[in-house]
Amino acid sequence: MTAGSRPRPATPAGPGPAWLRELFVAAAAMETEPQARPPATGGRASAVLILFGAGPDGPDLLFIQRSDDLRLHAGQPAFPGGAIDPTDSGPVAAALREAAEEVGVDPDGVDIVGTLPELFIPRTGFRVVPVLAWWREPCPVAPVDLAEVAAVERIGVSELTDPAARVMVRVPDGRTTPAFRVRGMVIWGFTAVLVDRLLALAGWERPWAPAEVIDWTPPPGGPGSAENAIRLGSCTEMCSTLS
């Protein structure tokens, strides 16, 4: 598959298809916004698995929906991942372990392409290392522990790049960030920002007008964190007002 018509550096050798190795080279050198740069000290080390696979209509990505009852990121779409445990050898081991524990991904069927620059989420204090990987041998996946993960989806790149799927989310302080509305779900926040950057770097982004804005309002007295106003697979009320 070609990722676009823009000039490409020489394709590095390694695991995964050539377009994914090219994407890794571009993403590893991407500039990070000042607010997303990790502080010199502090923060909780964590990792997420950005797992590309071969879907029926081209490349796809694996997403999970966090449980509503979690203290942080309740009900929010995300890549598989979590905190790096003392027993993990590093971010790659942590991302693979979390994906296995959360939805049953078999690490033996995953080829690691590389790790991207560490990012920081000021609101939660997490230092996140994105791990880019190729699902060489996909396996059936499903939530392993419903107390942590409510759902899992493989979403095609072609769906994410559809201009009709592109919206913006406005948080209470007035900031707006990219979001994706696909299959009746809204993917937003840290995960959506990562997806947005990767689509652009790969040359897959299609022209879209960021005119439609979803106003995010924390639900009063809801379970878990206040982030559960927009959820993967359960945003019917919000989405119905936009359709």
Side-chain angles (χ1 to χ4, degrees), residues 2-11 18-27 198-204:
T2 60
S5 58
R6 64 190 179 91
R8 290 288 190 181
T11 303
W19 60 261
L20 185 56
R21 300 196 302 273
E22 292 171 2
L23 175 57
F24 169 69
V25 171
L198 291 174
L199 294 179
L201 288 169
W204 290 329

Side-chain angles (χ1 to χ4, degrees), residues 68 74-76 186 188 214-220 223 225-232 234-239:
D68 282 346
Q76 193 171 4
V186 175
W188 70 293
I214 298 173
D215 282 309
W216 174 79
T217 303
S225 102
E227 294 173 1
N228 61 2
I230 303 174
R231 302 175 185 159
L232 175 63
S234 58
C235 63
T236 51
E237 180 179 351
M238 179 70 72
C239 291

Side-chain angles (χ1 to χ4, degrees), residues 50-108:
I50 303 177
L51 186 57
F52 280 95
D57 299 311
D60 62 19
L61 278 165
L62 184 69
F63 293 92
I64 65 170
Q65 174 197 336
R66 301 282 181 200
S67 167
D68 282 346
D69 297 323
L70 294 178
R71 184 175 62 87
L72 294 174
H73 307 296
Q76 193 171 4
F79 293 119
I84 300 176
D85 287 349
T87 54
D88 293 323
S89 60
V92 170
L96 289 173
R97 174 184 56 76
E98 288 282 353
E101 293 176 354
E102 290 176 337
V103 295
V105 171
D106 181 1
D108 290 339

